[in-house]
Amino acid sequence: MPSGKGSKLLRYVEHRLRVTLHDGRTIIGTFLAFDKHLNLVLSDAEEFRVLRKGGAALIEEKTEKRSLGLVLIRGENVVSLAVEGPPPPSVTGKTAAPGGSMARPRGAPIPGGPPMGAVPMGLGAAPVLGAPGMMPPPPPPPGGGMPPGMGRGMPPQY
């Protein structure tokens, strides 16, 4: 793996990250992915803006929070990144969610499924009508195949 920004960022995938943007906004969310342009994908993201009221002298400062959900942040707008916290405990176990998909090598048996080489339940040993490869092809239509004028090389009939 090349040593660069990419390899350093990889170790923080699934961590809570604080992203400061060029316009002063701050977004906190779970870091999911990034690319060569340092575009970032955050889930469960929340945006924080500081609203300032007053002229030359600061009268009032208020922080406004907004829930965003899943966001894609253009790398060009990112000023800084900071780790807010470790990944949630459920993510560190790396266990598949119930009913979720799981990557397996092609041809590997499905856990809890029939053993390799066994006939799947419900099919039995008898051939199934209509299943490809189980029956001979249908006979050609009477009259020798295609209707006239539908083959290759035949001139149109007027």
Side-chain angles (χ1 to χ4, degrees):
M1 183 183 302
S3 63
K5 292 178 186 152
S7 60
K8 290 178 183 174
L9 276 178
L10 268 175
R11 70 177 81 152
Y12 298 114
V13 170
E14 296 178 348
H15 282 67
R16 293 290 290 174
L17 224 61
R18 174 186 299 265
V19 182
T20 305
L21 301 180
H22 187 69
D23 60 3
R25 290 180 293 166
T26 300
I27 298 178
I28 298 176
T30 303
F31 182 41
L32 296 182
F34 66 98
D35 64 5
K36 66 181 180 180
H37 305 288
L38 295 181
N39 296 323
L40 306 175
V41 179
L42 302 178
S43 67
D44 303 323
E46 296 173 324
E47 174 192 56
F48 297 89
R49 287 191 322 164
V50 177
L51 302 172
R52 294 183 175 93
K53 291 185 180 178
L58 183 64
I59 298 173
E60 185 181 347
E61 191 172 285
K62 180 182 170 187
T63 302
E64 189 178 90
K65 176 182 168 184
R66 186 168 66 153
S67 181
L68 300 176
L70 184 68
V71 295
L72 171 66
I73 302 171
R74 188 175 170 95
E76 186 177 77
N77 295 323
V78 175
V79 173
S80 69
L81 299 173
V83 177
E84 280 288 303
S90 62
V91 175
T92 36
K94 301 268 187 212
T95 57
S101 62
M102 194 167 96
R104 278 187 287 286
R106 196 166 90 187
I110 299 171
M116 289 293 279
V119 178
M121 187 185 306
L123 290 182
V128 177
L129 294 176
M134 296 291 190
M135 297 176 57
M146 290 199 267
M150 298 301 284
R152 288 187 180 198
M154 291 186 66
Q157 297 177 356
Y158 295 102

